[in-house]
């Protein structure tokens, strides 16, 4: 994950233009460049060492770059696209955006597994000792948890129920346990379905001891990890759990994306809020107050859904792939900066 910079400092082999400098100038410039670029010394420290002004040091370093005495190469791992990442971060006003090369053999596959691996590295950077890490259900967050190999001591809490209580051991619950195991912190899983038949059943479950204990941590979450789904079969957990009549109803409201059982239209406005009353999930307002919300989602089939959720202002950072990033860079008007955390609904 970490980018690196390689500075190649050459002397007499610098090139024809650099040879216009005398040998003493070349040697001094190369020495100053080594001090500055490789040893990390300041211009003032270099000036004191060589008995010149810091302004001369600045001129020598500038000349060294102009005349190819110093070559600076910025390299990141091959799977990361630094240019797209920076452009995407700027367009949506995100704190972090990491774009991974899309697998050539799986262009139509949403959320390639390598997104989870990169997200695991990102969480290793973002989570600090004593933080409360929240994980919402999603295939990408499950892949991320499986790839975790480092986390500072922190509390891990599950932010949503599971897609199917019968598969909880292989899903969200296991992801929370895995993250807690890596960090050495406490785990607060939720042994309950994400979607219940009615609001009364959901309310009753929220009051159960284990679930209520997890809910107590929702307002303490400092870093959250979420997935994004588009409103189509196999790409949205909520879509697949609803009846045909319910799907048609929410589709009529313009739903384009879902995240943690919250529905969004193409402009990032929340729709179908009544669904939340039937769900075991963190509230949107609680997510909005979380300092760092990392979304993991990619693939062409999810690109428009990612755009919708980013426009909601709930997400501060994104891990995605090149196929989704290319769509996002030209998707509609420039969105409001996500870091303003403004609610598009004005509520």
């Amino acid at each position: 994950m970490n980018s690196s910079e390689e500075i190649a400092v050459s002397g007499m082999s610098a090139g024809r233009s650099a040879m216009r400098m005398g040998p003493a100038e070349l040697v001094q410039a190369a020495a100053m460049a080594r001090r500055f670029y490789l040893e990390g010394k300041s211009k003032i420290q270099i000036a004191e060492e060589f008995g010149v002004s810091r302004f001369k040091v600045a001129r020598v370093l500038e000349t060294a770059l102009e005349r190819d005495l110093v070559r600076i190469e910025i390299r990141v791992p091959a799977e990361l696209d630094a240019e797209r990442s920076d452009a995407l971060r700027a367009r949506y006003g995100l704190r972090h955006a990491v774009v991974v090369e899309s697998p050539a053999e799986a262009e139509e596959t949403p959320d390639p597994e390598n997104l989870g691996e990169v997200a695991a590295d990102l969480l290793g950077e973002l989570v600090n000792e004593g933080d409360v890490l929240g994980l919402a259900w999603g295939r990408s967050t499950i892949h991320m948890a499986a790839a975790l190999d480092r986390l500072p001591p922190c509390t891990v809490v599950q932010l949503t129920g599971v897609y199917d209580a019968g598969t909880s051991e292989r899903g969200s619950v296991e992801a929370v346990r895995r993250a807690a195991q890596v960090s050495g912190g406490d785990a607060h899983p939720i042994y309950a379905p994400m979607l219940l038949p009615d609001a009364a059943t959901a309310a009753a479950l929220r009051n159960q001891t284990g679930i209520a204990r997890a809910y107590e941590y929702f307002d303490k979450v400092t870093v959250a990890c979420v997935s994004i789904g588009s409103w189509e079969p196999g790409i949205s957990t909520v879509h697949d759990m609803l009846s045909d009549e319910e799907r048609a109803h929410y589709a009529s409201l313009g739903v384009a994306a879902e995240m943690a059982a919250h529905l969004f239209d193409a402009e990032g406005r929340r729709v179908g809020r009544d669904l939340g009353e039937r769900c075991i999930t963190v509230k949107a307002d609680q997510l909005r107050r979380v300092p760092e919300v990392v979304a993991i989602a990619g693939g062409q089939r999810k690109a428009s859904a990612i755009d919708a959720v980013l426009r909601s202002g709930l997400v501060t950072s994104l891990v995605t792939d090149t196929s989704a990033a290319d769509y996002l860079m030209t998707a509609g008007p420039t969105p409001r900066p996500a870091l303003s955390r403004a609610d598009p609904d004005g509520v």
Side-chain angles (χ1 to χ4, degrees):
M1 272 281 300
N2 294 331
S3 62
S4 61
E5 296 185 1
E6 180 180 289
I7 295 91
V9 180
S10 58
M12 300 302 290
S13 62
R16 188 174 300 174
S17 62
M19 292 305 294
R20 294 173 186 157
M21 301 172 70
E25 291 177 303
L26 275 170
V27 170
Q28 184 183 68
M32 288 183 176
R34 286 192 181 92
R35 303 292 193 279
F36 185 74
Y37 290 108
L38 298 181
E39 298 175 14
K41 291 188 176 180
S42 70
K43 293 174 184 177
I44 293 177
Q45 289 174 314
I46 297 170
E48 291 176 350
E49 178 182 347
F50 286 88
V52 298
S53 71
R54 62 186 177 88
F55 301 104
K56 179 174 181 179
V57 174
R59 287 196 300 272
V60 170
L61 293 175
E62 183 177 354
T63 300
L65 284 172
E66 291 175 350
R67 299 192 177 185
D68 200 29
L69 188 65
V70 173
R71 298 189 304 275
I72 299 176
E73 181 181 359
I74 300 175
R75 299 189 300 179
V76 297
E79 71 270 16
L80 299 184
D81 192 311
E83 185 175 350
R84 283 184 174 93
S85 297
D86 188 55
L88 196 60
R89 179 201 57 76
R91 173 171 169 79
Y92 286 90
L94 298 167
R95 186 171 289 118
H96 303 284
V98 182
V99 178
V100 181
E101 285 290 338
S102 302
E105 69 280 4
E107 292 184 358
E108 296 299 321
T109 301
D111 300 337
E113 289 193 24
N114 61 340
L115 294 187
E117 297 169 2
V118 174
D121 284 344
L122 179 61
L123 280 190
E125 295 181 54
L126 299 181
V127 176
N128 296 307
E129 184 174 352
D131 276 346
V132 176
L133 172 62
L135 301 181
W137 194 95
R139 282 177 287 269
S140 57
T141 53
I142 292 170
H143 292 155
M144 179 278 300
L148 281 172
D149 59 11
R150 64 184 176 99
L151 271 182
C154 64
T155 299
V156 186
V157 60
Q158 192 170 321
L159 296 179
T160 63
V162 298
Y163 173 61
D164 181 347
T167 60
S168 62
E169 291 296 313
R170 299 188 299 275
S172 303
V173 171
E174 182 56 34
V176 169
R177 286 177 172 170
R178 168 64 182 168
Q181 179 184 29
V182 172
S183 74
D186 293 333
H188 295 278
I190 293 178
Y191 296 95
M194 181 189 297
L195 180 66
L196 282 305
D198 51 62
T201 304
L205 277 178
R206 293 187 199 106
N207 289 325
Q208 288 188 358
T209 303
I211 298 174
R213 186 177 298 116
Y215 262 70
E216 290 174 358
Y217 280 91
F218 286 4
D219 287 325
K220 303 174 185 178
V221 173
T222 51
V223 180
C225 189
V226 300
S227 297
I228 295 173
S230 57
W231 198 246
E232 59 178 300
I235 312 296
S236 164
T237 299
V238 173
H239 179 282
D240 291 347
M241 288 192 290
L242 295 172
S243 66
D244 290 341
E245 292 77 14
E246 289 170 325
R247 292 171 192 152
H249 166 67
Y250 291 116
S252 71
L253 300 179
V255 60
E258 62 99 351
M259 178 184 69
H262 299 292
L263 309 182
F264 305 86
D265 68 10
E267 300 302 318
R269 295 182 293 259
R270 286 200 294 133
V271 297
R273 298 191 184 204
D274 61 302
L275 184 67
E277 298 176 3
R278 296 169 49 194
C279 291
I280 302 296
T281 185
V282 62
K283 294 179 180 178
D285 291 342
Q286 290 174 311
L287 272 180
R288 199 177 298 280
R289 293 192 294 270
V290 175
E292 185 74 77
V293 179
V294 181
I296 313 169
Q300 294 179 10
R301 294 177 64 185
K302 279 194 176 183
S304 60
I306 297 169
D307 175 62
V309 172
L310 291 182
R311 290 176 185 275
S312 74
L314 290 173
V315 170
T316 62
S317 298
L318 174 70
V319 177
T320 190
D321 63 353
T322 51
S323 64
D326 288 342
Y327 173 91
L328 293 170
M329 290 307 301
T330 58
T334 302
R336 289 180 298 179
L339 295 185
S340 68
R341 311 304 293 276
D343 188 337
D345 301 324
V347 178

